[in-house]
Amino acid sequence: MPKTSWQICLLAIIGGAASALLVVLFTLTIEEIQQLYLIKRDNYNSLDEVSRFHLPIIGSLIILLMAWLTGYKYIRTGIPFVLHRLKVAHGIIPFKNTLNQFWGSAVALASGFSVGREGPAVHLGAACSSYLGSVLKLPYNSTRTLCACGIAAGIAATFNTPIAAVIFVMEVVMREYKAHVFVPVMLASIVGSLITRSVFGTSHNFQHFNTIALEQQHYFSLILLAIVLGILAAAFNKYLVVIIKKSVKYHIVPRLILAALITGTLGYLVPGAMGTGTSAIDISLTNNLPLGFLFSLLIAKLLMTMFALGLGIPGGIIGPTISIGAITGALVGAVVIQVLPGEHVSSDFILMGMAGFMAASLNAPLATLLAVVELSGQLELVVPAMIVITIASIVSRQLCKNESIFIMQLDAQNLLYRKPPVEESLQNIGALAVMKDNLLILEQASPRTIIGELLHSHESQLVINKEPTSETDQLNNYYWAQLDVEVVDDESEDIEHNLANKLILHKLIPLSHQVTLAEAYLALVEQRSGAVYIYHKDINDCIGLVTFEQLRIYLLEGKLN
């Protein structure tokens, strides 16, 4: 079974630090751009109506310019793209996609589009740490682990929530809890949080939720809120995917221009809906707001987010989902407070709205619970938050047949993200760690020589015969020699002849030292015999074998011999 090594832990710390620093640079870039025209970060109320309309259009043109310079095919970014790359490329992210993510998302976030910072943070963190694994030519399973570490560091650096970052990686990204991955991911998350605290301080954006006034008499109202959140999250996911599917046949240029026009128009009418959502949350916390205003803010935020993300604006979805949940909570809280007065109940419902909508939309209940606890610093909200998260998730997933928005986005974009369970299990183990390296390599040996070595070699030693290659072949031809004990001897007394009949030479399939057992399995599954030989890219010589028998025993018994 795969184990945690000190080497991967050290690389997780290094990769986590690099990822966090890149995310901090990304955050500072956004703030520097916004300081040119905003009084306060994400406060678009300070702009006049015409500026609010023009700003997203200017931003979309800059994003398109960057996409044109790098190539439009590199426009894919964000969490769904990272999930896809984890499956098809072991988490290695193309550099041009990362360029689009950094500059494109920075411009989008500074231009008032309703997208979040966490999508770019996941992408940048994954790209940075996986690049480390790629440069060091680590086995692919180690590169995948480093990619997960970079994601955790990126989220921790964005929200200063190290625990939630770890659980998000396990629950949403890796979709499994493995100790050999958990420990390095946790180390990277700690480093990411420490770095962001050293730059931005220890405070959270939502620490103004300093008192939880919810009591048991409010729990029935929380159940009603959770039902509303579950239905709303399912509708949000559904129509976001509809926009993605309908718009995919059009070129990226008209799509981004349309997203800018919709954002500009809605921003002209409802400025509080622009940006990541912190402005909308601040507005929701204002006491005695008219229900009509909150409703218009909710509709504007929903439309802005769905069209921005659905039409291809680079950015994340978690920030907007938090703000949509906050506005919904404020709406329900405004109604409840008239029936069940409470000093802080309104703000509590905002917090519960954040938790319920995010959990139902992302299908990540545990990560959401821990994120809300860390962001607010209030352990008292655990029980009411669990009520809201559980019911909202049940309503969304069971009654409305909703899935995680990331999975729905992957399906809508036809991006691979699933592999058969056999491959899922085998890709966690590097071939380099389990290969048989007790080899006796012969050079163009005759059958008689090979048989002699087989008879005199130790049982654990594998006899390999190296044959000459043609001028076009870059790799050597290797054959694994075995004696077939099932062949019945003929009546001849010629012992040498009998042994020659039993000699089997399996032609070995070459695989790089970076591969996992999944690649070895795919190479051997049709013939269900033989072996692959592992070579180092700098040497091109056989350094070890992985046999089909090893794979068969592991799949049947869960251990490698």
Side-chain angles (χ1 to χ4, degrees):
M1 296 296 291
K3 298 179 181 179
T4 304
S5 66
W6 67 266
Q7 293 95 333
I8 201 70
C9 289
L10 178 61
L11 289 173
I13 293 172
I14 297 171
S19 299
L21 289 171
L22 184 59
V23 171
V24 167
L25 178 62
F26 174 74
T27 304
L28 292 174
T29 300
I30 298 169
E31 293 182 355
E32 288 298 319
I33 296 174
Q34 288 186 334
Q35 283 181 3
L36 298 175
Y37 46 85
L38 295 183
I39 298 174
K40 181 183 176 183
R41 188 182 72 178
D42 289 335
N43 184 9
Y44 294 92
N45 287 284
S46 60
L47 293 176
D48 59 77
E49 292 89 342
V50 176
S51 296
R52 293 199 299 269
F53 180 78
H54 288 159
L55 187 60
I57 297 174
I58 295 171
S60 67
L61 293 175
I62 297 173
I63 294 169
L64 286 171
L65 174 62
M66 296 173 184
W68 176 75
L69 291 173
T70 59
Y72 290 121
K73 68 178 182 178
Y74 295 105
I75 196 69
R76 289 193 188 275
T77 57
I79 296 176
F81 181 70
V82 172
L83 295 176
H84 167 67
R85 294 297 297 182
L86 271 169
K87 293 303 179 185
V88 303
H90 310 285
I92 299 173
I93 313 291
F95 178 69
K96 289 184 178 180
N97 288 89
T98 306
L99 278 179
N100 274 316
Q101 181 69 94
F102 187 98
W103 293 109
S105 295
V107 171
L109 286 159
S111 303
F113 285 101
S114 183
V115 294
R117 289 185 294 146
E118 75 296 324
V122 166
H123 185 125
L124 295 173
C128 194
S129 286
S130 63
Y131 178 73
L132 177 63
S134 181
V135 168
L136 296 176
K137 297 182 180 179
L138 297 180
Y140 292 141
N141 61 315
S142 298
T143 302
R144 289 178 70 250
T145 300
L146 285 181
C147 179
C149 293
I151 293 170
I155 296 175
T158 301
F159 294 109
N160 194 11
T161 54
I163 301 175
V166 173
I167 301 303
F168 179 85
V169 168
M170 296 298 173
E171 191 174 33
V172 177
V173 178
M174 305 301 287
R175 302 176 73 186
E176 61 180 359
Y177 289 84
K178 299 290 186 180
H180 73 281
V181 178
F182 190 88
V183 173
V185 165
M186 189 159 49
L187 287 171
S189 181
I190 292 169
V191 171
S193 183
L194 289 174
I195 288 175
T196 198
R197 289 183 183 188
S198 65
V199 177
F200 300 111
T202 59
S203 63
H204 289 288
N205 291 331
F206 306 124
Q207 284 189 337
H208 37 249
F209 298 101
N210 50 18
T211 304
I212 304 298
L214 290 172
E215 299 178 0
Q216 291 187 4
Q217 61 180 340
H218 298 115
Y219 284 4
F220 179 73
S221 301
L222 290 180
I223 293 172
L224 296 178
L225 171 63
I227 294 172
V228 172
L229 292 168
I231 296 172
L232 186 63
F236 172 78
N237 286 11
K238 175 184 176 182
Y239 288 107
L240 172 56
V241 170
V242 167
I243 294 171
I244 293 173
K245 290 181 177 179
K246 295 291 184 181
S247 65
V248 71
K249 58 185 177 182
Y250 299 105
H251 193 269
I252 191 67
V253 173
R255 283 160 46 193
L256 294 198
I257 294 297
L258 177 60
L261 290 172
I262 293 172
T263 299
T265 302
L266 291 172
Y268 181 94
L269 300 171
V270 190
M274 297 182 73
T276 60
T278 54
S279 178
I281 295 172
D282 291 339
I283 293 171
S284 302
L285 287 166
T286 305
N287 294 324
N288 302 320
L289 285 174
L291 291 179
F293 174 77
L294 286 173
F295 185 75
S296 64
L297 183 63
L298 175 61
I299 296 300
K301 193 65 181 174
L302 282 167
L303 292 175
M304 273 191 185
T305 305
M306 288 190 294
F307 280 102
L309 294 172
L311 293 173
I313 295 294
I317 196 173
I318 296 178
T321 58
I322 290 175
S323 64
I324 292 169
I327 301 167
T328 308
L331 266 170
V332 176
V335 175
V336 169
I337 201 171
Q338 298 178 17
V339 181
L340 300 171
E343 184 180 357
H344 299 285
V345 169
S346 179
S347 63
D348 293 346
F349 270 73
I350 292 173
L351 200 56
M352 294 301 103
M354 295 179 190
F357 190 85
M358 179 179 167
S361 180
L362 273 57
N363 191 24
L366 184 56
T368 299
L369 176 63
L370 291 172
V372 173
V373 170
E374 284 190 284
L375 286 170
S376 64
Q378 301 298 317
L379 288 174
E380 294 83 358
L381 63 78
V382 169
V383 173
M386 288 177 68
I387 293 172
V388 173
I389 288 172
T390 302
I391 295 174
S393 298
I394 291 173
V395 169
S396 176
R397 189 166 179 82
Q398 302 298 324
L399 299 183
C400 300
K401 308 301 180 184
N402 185 38
E403 287 189 89
S404 166
I405 186 57
F406 302 130
I407 300 301
M408 295 174 72
Q409 285 177 292
L410 286 163
D411 285 333
Q413 297 171 10
N414 294 318
L415 295 176
L416 175 68
Y417 66 95
R418 288 192 178 103
K419 282 190 175 182
V422 170
E423 292 182 43
E424 291 277 3
S425 174
L426 292 174
Q427 71 179 2
N428 291 321
I429 306 173
L432 200 62
V434 300
M435 67 182 184
K436 296 176 180 291
D437 56 2
N438 185 9
L439 309 178
L440 174 61
I441 299 180
L442 306 175
E443 294 275 355
Q444 304 179 42
S446 65
R448 180 175 182 178
T449 303
I450 295 173
I451 292 170
E453 294 294 347
L454 285 171
L455 293 174
H456 294 93
S457 64
H458 191 271
E459 183 180 353
S460 62
Q461 188 177 53
L462 303 181
V463 177
I464 311 297
N465 188 37
K466 181 179 178 181
E467 295 289 347
T469 59
S470 63
E471 294 181 359
T472 58
D473 291 333
Q474 294 181 347
L475 297 172
N476 296 308
N477 290 325
Y478 289 96
Y479 294 84
W480 173 29
Q482 285 184 300
L483 289 177
D484 190 350
V485 295
E486 295 182 0
V487 174
V488 180
D489 293 341
D490 57 26
E491 296 179 357
S492 170
E493 296 182 358
D494 188 346
I495 298 176
E496 185 175 324
H497 175 74
N498 289 336
L499 290 174
N501 287 337
K502 293 183 179 182
L503 179 63
I504 301 175
L505 293 175
H506 301 280
K507 185 171 183 179
L508 299 176
I509 301 171
L511 290 177
S512 163
H513 73 285
Q514 293 179 280
V515 302
T516 67
L517 293 188
E519 286 80 20
Y521 173 80
L522 291 174
L524 299 172
V525 64
E526 288 190 8
Q527 63 193 54
R528 294 186 176 274
S529 62
V532 299
Y533 82 82
I534 308 303
Y535 69 92
H536 196 286
K537 291 183 178 180
D538 296 333
I539 303 174
N540 287 346
D541 283 336
C542 175
I543 58 175
L545 264 62
V546 176
T547 68
F548 184 78
E549 183 66 12
Q550 282 182 281
L551 302 175
R552 188 187 68 81
I553 292 174
Y554 175 74
L555 292 173
L556 290 175
E557 303 178 11
K559 62 181 181 180
L560 289 158
N561 63 345

